[in-house]
């Protein structure tokens, strides 16, 4: 193989490795950014919803709220379901999509939630 051929092959290999490295770095960076945006959106929506349920946001058993919070005001386009620690649905509202359509995802009847070893409130998000 001539020197020109070997140089072209080497430059091509280096360019391919650089492009693959840039692709992996860009993908992982974008993925982390988008997951962080979803987490921030859930966190900013969660606090007003918890306050809307009264009794310091515990809802369900022993709750002092009368009625359901206006989920559409806090989380437009978001399906919200609140379950008690006994896995009983305390509150559920469909996602209100553009054009007036509503969406309710198919959820299992029973969810296995993480244990609450610390004794504080546990919030679990499913997306």
């Amino acid at each position: 193989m001539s020197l020109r051929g070997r140089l072209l092959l080497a430059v091509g290999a280096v360019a391919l490795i650089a492009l693959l490295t840039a692709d992996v770095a860009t993908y992982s960076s974008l993925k982390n950014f988008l997951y962080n945006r979803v987490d921030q959106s859930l966190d900013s929506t969660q606090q007003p919803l918890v306050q809307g349920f009264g009794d310091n946001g515990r809802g369900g058993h022993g709750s002092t709220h009368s009625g359901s919070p206006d989920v559409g005001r806090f989380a437009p386009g978001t399906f919200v379901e609140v379950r008690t620690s006994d896995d009983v649905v305390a509150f559920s509202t469909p996602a209100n999509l553009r054009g007036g359509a509503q969406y309710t995802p198919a959820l299992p009847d029973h969810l296995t939630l993480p244990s609450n070893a610390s004794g504080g409130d546990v919030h679990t998000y499913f997306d």
Side-chain angles (χ1 to χ4, degrees):
M1 182 180 275
S2 69
L3 180 59
R4 180 184 296 176
R6 287 185 285 183
L7 284 174
L8 285 174
L9 188 60
V11 168
V14 169
L16 181 63
I17 291 171
L19 286 173
L20 288 174
T21 303
D23 181 45
V24 168
T26 301
Y27 176 78
S28 66
S29 176
L30 181 62
K31 180 181 144 192
N32 288 336
F33 172 75
L34 292 175
Y35 273 119
N36 287 337
R37 292 261 323 246
V38 168
D39 289 344
Q40 289 171 354
S41 174
L42 289 171
D43 286 338
S44 67
T45 301
Q46 180 258 344
Q47 189 60 33
L49 287 173
V50 167
Q51 291 174 354
F53 278 97
D55 193 25
N56 294 326
R58 289 187 181 86
H61 300 300
S63 176
T64 60
H65 81 286
S66 58
S68 303
D70 182 11
V71 174
R73 191 176 88 200
F74 301 120
T78 303
F79 168 78
V80 175
E81 180 175 274
V82 177
R83 293 186 184 210
T84 65
S85 59
D86 301 332
D87 198 27
V88 175
V89 176
F91 173 75
S92 178
T93 184
N96 293 316
L97 306 176
R98 290 185 179 145
Q102 292 186 331
Y103 173 72
T104 301
L107 296 177
D109 293 333
H110 302 287
L111 295 175
T112 303
L113 299 175
S115 65
N116 188 5
S118 64
D121 287 339
V122 174
H123 300 95
T124 303
Y125 302 119
F126 298 95
D127 53 1

